[in-house]
Amino acid sequence: MPIITVKLAKGRTVEQKQQFVEAITREAVNTLDVKEEWVTVLFDEYERENWATAGELHSIKFGGGFGKKGT
């Protein structure tokens, strides 16, 4: 029974998260040889002001769009 936790900054749409869980579930089934209904995916979403790298908050270091293509 794999439980997969995904940590990411807030801002993804429900559609993006749905596509992601479909893909990661499919891969877990194929790689781990488990049933699809055994795979659980949890999202831990964080505001950029609550996430820091190298001693600087992401909200300051990168602004609001960081983490998406084209930014």
Side-chain angles (χ1 to χ4, degrees):
M1 277 182 112
I3 300 171
I4 302 163
T5 302
V6 179
K7 297 177 184 268
L8 71 164
K10 285 185 178 181
R12 301 317 190 281
T13 66
V14 171
E15 292 80 14
Q16 288 173 311
K17 290 190 273 187
Q18 180 61 41
Q19 286 181 324
F20 184 81
V21 297
E22 288 172 6
I24 203 161
T25 298
R26 203 170 33 249
E27 191 59 37
V29 167
N30 292 333
T31 303
L32 303 175
D33 193 26
V34 296
K35 294 182 181 181
E36 187 175 274
E37 56 268 21
W38 293 353
V39 180
T40 298
V41 180
L42 303 169
F43 287 101
D44 287 341
E45 295 184 276
Y46 299 92
E47 296 288 348
R48 294 176 196 283
E49 65 189 29
N50 296 324
W51 192 331
T53 302
E56 191 171 4
L57 292 172
H58 281 206
S59 59
I60 295 169
K61 187 172 187 174
F62 301 114
F66 181 71
K68 297 178 184 173
K69 287 183 181 176
T71 58

